[in-house]
Amino acid sequence: MVTRLSKESEIDEPISEPRSMDWRAENKLVREHIVRVGLQGSYIPRVGEIVLWVPRLNGGELKYNEQERSYQIYSSKRHRFIGRPDWRAGTVSEVPDKDPVVLEDLIEPTKKTWEVNYSGFRVETFPDPNSDDKSASLQYQYVHIYVLRPFNSWPTWLENVPQKEWHPSIKHAMTVMSSVSMVNKYHFKGVWPNASIYCRGMFLGPEMIVVGDTVRLKPKGAAVSRLSPITDVMVIKRIEFRLNSCIEDAQSPHLAKSYAVRVRGNVYTYLPTRAYRTSEGYGSQPLNQQELTDAFQQVGMSEYGAWYCTHKPGTAVDISHDMIIGRCYEPTAMQLMFGHISIDYDLFGTLVSRKWSRETDERMEDGQDWFWADYRVQALSLDTLNGDEVGRYSEAREPRMWKGVLNILDGTATQADWEAAKLPRNAGRQPGRPSKSQFAEVQKMSSLVSSGLNMEGSANMSSDDETVNTSSEEEIDKEERDLVAVKGSDTGTPPDIARLTQQKDGSVKDRNDDDGDDEDDWDGDPAVLIQSFKPHPLPIRDSPVKHPQFKRPRIDF
C-alpha cells in the first residue's frame, strides 16, 4: 500500500490482502473473535495476554496476611495460613470454549459441565525474550480464572516478597511491557508522504484492547517517583496507526521514518472539577442512568460514582497509546479480586514495568520507548504457542506451497501450482504404474517356504526363463511425469483428474489403465471369486524337521 501511495499520491480504501495466506485464513475469524471479546466482561483474560497465575492453591484461597503484610494461601480447614503462592507470569493461549465465565468464578470455580481443559484457561509460563531458550513455554496448565490476576498488579500480590524468591518468568514478562502490535487492520488512508491504518484492536504491553473497551488514562505528569490517582477513563471509538513520512524505497526495512498510535474516543471523569465547562462557566451535569448505559459497555459503572464528560458533547478526544494504563474492569469484579474499587490499583506496576522494559529489552535501541511488532508473538518473542510453532519459526510457512494453494482457490493454477500445493492424493494404485507381482523375486525364498507354497518349480527358475523388463524405474517415472504434464496442462487440473475420462454409462475410467489386467477392474459378485479360488494344500509333516537355515534368535538383555 505504501508503494502504491507513492505512485498514486492519495489512497482511501478498505484493506484487502488476497495474496496473503494469513489474511485469507484469519481475517474473518479474527473479526468474529473481536466481536465475541467485546461482548464478554472486561475482567476476563483474552488470548495472547500476559497474566499472573498460580499453578495450585493446595485447596486454599488467596487472603491478605496482616502479620506478614502480604497475600498468602489460607486454609479454611486448618484455619491458618499455609504458605505463599508460587506466582509466575504466563501467556494465555486458550480461553474457555464451552462453559462461560461468571463473576462467581473469581472466588472459586462454579459447577461446570465440562472439565477444566474446556471450561478453563490454558496458561504457559513466559520464557526469556532475550534468550533463544524458550523451553519455559512447555510448562503449561489449565486453570480457572480464580488463580489469574492482571499482570501489572504484581506489586499488590508480591508485596513484601523478596525479589530473589520471584519466579524468573515475572521479570521476563516485564521485559516486553513496552511492546505494541496492531490487530485486524481494516482500512488504509493516506496522502503522500503520510498515511494511517485503522485497526479494530491492539496489544499494549500485557493486554489486548479493542474498539469499545473502556480504558483508564494515565494522570498528567505521572511517573514512577511521582504518582497521582487515576481519575479519567476513555471509551474507545477508533484505533489509528500512523505512518509519518513514508519511505518510498521498497528495499527499506521500515515503512516510515516514525510511527505513532492515536486512540480516539469519549473521555469521562469522576472529578467534577475536570468536567466540561461552557463559555458561560457552568459545569456539565453528571451522566444520568440512560446516558451511562449508552456511554459504557460495562455493567454497573455507576458504582464507581458519578461520571462527567470532559469535552463538548458530540466531539471526541485523541490520545497517544502511552496514555493508556489498561482496561477498566467492572466494579463487582474489582471488589472480588482486590477488595476495593479503586481504578489506579496498577499505576505503579505499569510505569515500573515499562521503565524496566526500555532498559532490558535487547530488541530496542537506546532512547527507544516502544518496540513496534508486526504481530503478537513477535512482540512476546515466542517460538511456540498452544503447542504449535508460530510466526517465522513455523515449519508450515512455505511460501511456494501457499502460493500454489492460493492460485488453486482463485482458479488460476498451473501444473506447477498443483505440484507445489502438496494436496493429498486419493489412496490406491497410482494410474499408469505397471503392477508388480508379489512373487517377482520368489527365487530368493528358501526351499522350505517354496515347498510350503507348492512353488518348487518356480522357485528354482533361472534368470533366462524370466520375463525381463528393459525399462528402468527412472525411465518409467520420466514417462509418467511427461504424461502427467501433457494431460494436466490443457485443463489446469491436477494430474489425477486429467487422467480420468467419462464413460457412456456414467462411470469413470483411467485413460492409462489399458494393461489388460481384469482383476483390478472386475466388478462382479465377490462370492464368485472366492468360490473359484482353490488354495494349494500345504504339506503336513508328522514330525518337526530341523533345518539349518532356521535357528532360534538370540536375545540380549
Side-chain angles (χ1 to χ4, degrees):
M1 298 294 285
V2 173
T3 304
R4 278 186 53 198
L5 181 63
S6 65
K7 298 177 181 179
E8 301 177 14
S9 299
E10 184 175 356
I11 296 178
D12 185 0
E13 63 182 43
I15 292 178
S16 178
E17 302 178 72
R19 302 306 301 168
S20 169
M21 179 64 80
D22 291 319
W23 188 87
R24 292 280 288 267
E26 300 174 356
N27 183 51
K28 182 180 178 181
L29 297 177
V30 171
R31 283 186 297 171
E32 294 175 353
H33 173 70
I34 291 177
V35 171
R36 288 194 298 268
V37 164
L39 295 176
Q40 67 185 15
S42 61
Y43 66 93
I44 300 177
R46 301 168 180 177
V47 174
E49 292 190 342
I50 297 178
V51 295
L52 276 178
W53 68 294
V54 182
R56 61 189 61 84
L57 290 178
N58 299 322
E61 60 178 326
L62 292 174
K63 196 172 183 179
Y64 191 76
N65 189 338
E66 295 289 349
Q67 295 181 351
E68 298 291 335
R69 300 183 63 84
S70 64
Y71 277 91
Q72 296 187 357
I73 302 176
Y74 181 79
S75 174
S76 300
K77 295 181 179 180
R78 303 180 186 179
H79 302 287
R80 63 181 180 87
F81 290 96
I82 58 177
R84 289 175 177 168
D86 180 24
W87 289 108
R88 59 181 66 186
T91 310
V92 178
S93 59
E94 282 187 41
V95 294
D97 182 46
K98 300 297 182 181
D99 292 312
V101 178
V102 295
L103 283 168
E104 290 78 3
D105 290 328
L106 292 172
I107 304 174
E108 61 180 1
T110 57
K111 186 177 181 180
K112 304 293 184 182
T113 305
W114 297 81
E115 294 296 330
V116 66
N117 57 333
Y118 284 99
S119 61
F121 299 81
R122 173 175 167 139
V123 186
E124 303 174 3
T125 303
F126 195 77
D128 186 358
N130 293 328
S131 172
D132 293 333
D133 182 10
K134 308 296 181 181
S135 58
S137 296
L138 303 178
Q139 304 172 16
Y140 71 91
Q141 191 169 333
Y142 287 92
V143 296
H144 289 291
I145 194 174
Y146 78 110
V147 296
L148 305 181
R149 292 295 183 269
F151 177 77
N152 279 334
S153 65
W154 59 264
T156 299
W157 308 106
L158 296 176
E159 182 182 359
N160 291 323
V161 178
Q163 288 194 25
K164 62 181 181 180
E165 298 182 12
W166 290 10
H167 194 274
S169 62
I170 294 177
K171 289 188 176 180
H172 294 166
M174 291 173 62
T175 306
V176 298
M177 288 301 104
S178 289
S179 62
V180 183
S181 59
M182 313 311 292
V183 178
N184 199 214
K185 310 174 185 68
Y186 68 91
H187 196 90
F188 184 92
K189 182 179 181 180
V191 177
W192 184 261
N194 301 319
S196 295
I197 300 175
Y198 299 98
C199 311
R200 292 187 172 91
M202 66 176 176
F203 280 99
L204 181 64
E207 290 187 344
M208 178 185 183
I209 296 173
V210 300
V211 173
D213 280 341
T214 301
V215 295
R216 296 164 293 120
L217 304 183
K218 182 174 66 174
K220 184 178 180 180
V224 174
S225 58
R226 185 176 62 256
L227 298 178
S228 303
I230 296 178
T231 60
D232 300 349
V233 299
M234 169 184 276
V235 180
I236 298 177
K237 302 299 182 183
R238 190 178 75 186
I239 299 176
E240 177 184 355
F241 181 62
R242 292 184 178 178
L243 307 175
N244 301 319
S245 300
C246 295
I247 300 175
E248 187 175 1
D249 184 9
Q251 302 300 323
S252 174
H254 299 284
L255 295 176
K257 294 182 179 179
S258 64
Y259 309 99
V261 176
R262 290 295 178 266
V263 182
R264 174 170 295 185
N266 298 328
V267 179
Y268 303 93
T269 180
Y270 62 76
L271 288 182
T273 56
R274 288 188 48 78
Y276 168 74
R277 295 180 178 273
T278 63
S279 56
E280 290 79 10
Y282 297 102
S284 62
Q285 297 296 319
L287 302 180
N288 57 39
Q289 190 62 39
Q290 184 59 45
E291 291 172 335
L292 280 173
T293 304
D294 296 338
F296 299 103
Q297 289 187 359
Q298 289 90 335
V299 178
M301 289 295 288
S302 59
E303 297 180 22
Y304 282 118
W307 291 99
Y308 301 85
C309 188
T310 63
H311 51 87
K312 184 179 180 180
T315 62
V317 177
D318 285 358
I319 63 170
S320 169
H321 65 284
D322 184 73
M323 294 292 297
I324 297 176
I325 297 299
R327 292 198 304 271
C328 183
Y329 297 156
E330 291 79 359
T332 305
M334 287 292 301
Q335 186 67 42
L336 293 176
M337 281 192 291
F338 298 97
H340 59 77
I341 57 173
S342 173
I343 61 175
D344 54 6
Y345 64 93
D346 62 346
L347 176 61
F348 177 76
T350 300
L351 298 179
V352 170
S353 298
R354 290 179 181 177
K355 185 175 185 295
W356 173 275
S357 175
R358 290 159 185 164
E359 295 175 353
T360 58
D361 194 339
E362 297 177 357
R363 301 170 298 176
M364 299 173 62
E365 300 177 357
D366 294 339
Q368 186 177 351
D369 291 334
W370 294 93
F371 175 71
W372 303 97
D374 292 330
Y375 39 87
R376 181 57 169 172
V377 291
Q378 183 187 40
L380 302 183
S381 187
L382 294 178
D383 285 2
T384 61
L385 188 67
N386 202 16
D388 297 324
E389 293 185 349
V390 292
R392 62 187 179 92
Y393 301 98
S394 175
E395 295 180 354
R397 303 185 73 87
E398 298 185 26
R400 186 170 177 268
M401 180 184 69
W402 285 7
K403 179 182 177 182
V405 172
L406 291 176
N407 288 337
I408 293 173
L409 293 175
D410 295 336
T412 60
T414 63
Q415 181 61 35
D417 292 326
W418 283 103
E419 295 176 355
K422 300 180 181 179
L423 298 179
R425 302 285 185 87
N426 293 330
R429 182 168 61 88
Q430 294 296 325
R433 181 175 293 277
S435 58
K436 190 174 183 180
S437 173
Q438 297 178 0
F439 302 102
E441 298 182 1
V442 72
Q443 70 275 10
K444 296 182 180 180
M445 296 181 182
S446 66
S447 58
L448 178 62
V449 176
S450 300
S451 61
L453 295 175
N454 198 17
M455 298 176 62
E456 287 85 350
S458 61
N460 297 323
M461 183 184 299
S462 65
S463 59
D464 296 335
D465 297 330
E466 291 182 294
T467 301
V468 180
N469 187 358
T470 58
S471 299
S472 64
E473 289 291 330
E474 290 78 4
E475 293 174 346
I476 294 175
D477 292 340
K478 183 177 184 301
E479 292 174 0
E480 289 182 5
R481 288 195 297 268
D482 294 340
L483 180 63
V484 169
V486 172
K487 294 190 177 183
S489 59
D490 295 337
T491 60
T493 55
D496 290 344
I497 299 177
R499 289 197 185 103
L500 303 179
T501 57
Q502 191 76 18
Q503 302 299 305
K504 294 181 180 180
D505 58 356
S507 61
V508 179
K509 182 180 179 181
D510 187 352
R511 294 178 183 175
N512 296 333
D513 200 1
D514 295 327
D515 54 3
D517 186 4
D518 295 331
E519 180 178 349
D520 292 334
D521 300 331
W522 189 84
D523 57 355
D525 186 2
V528 178
L529 280 181
I530 296 175
Q531 294 175 1
S532 62
F533 175 71
K534 296 181 180 180
H536 295 283
L538 294 176
I540 301 177
R541 303 180 185 272
D542 296 333
S543 60
V545 177
K546 295 183 180 181
H547 198 285
Q549 186 176 353
F550 295 94
K551 297 181 180 180
R552 184 180 299 276
R554 179 180 178 182
I555 302 176
D556 297 327
F557 295 95

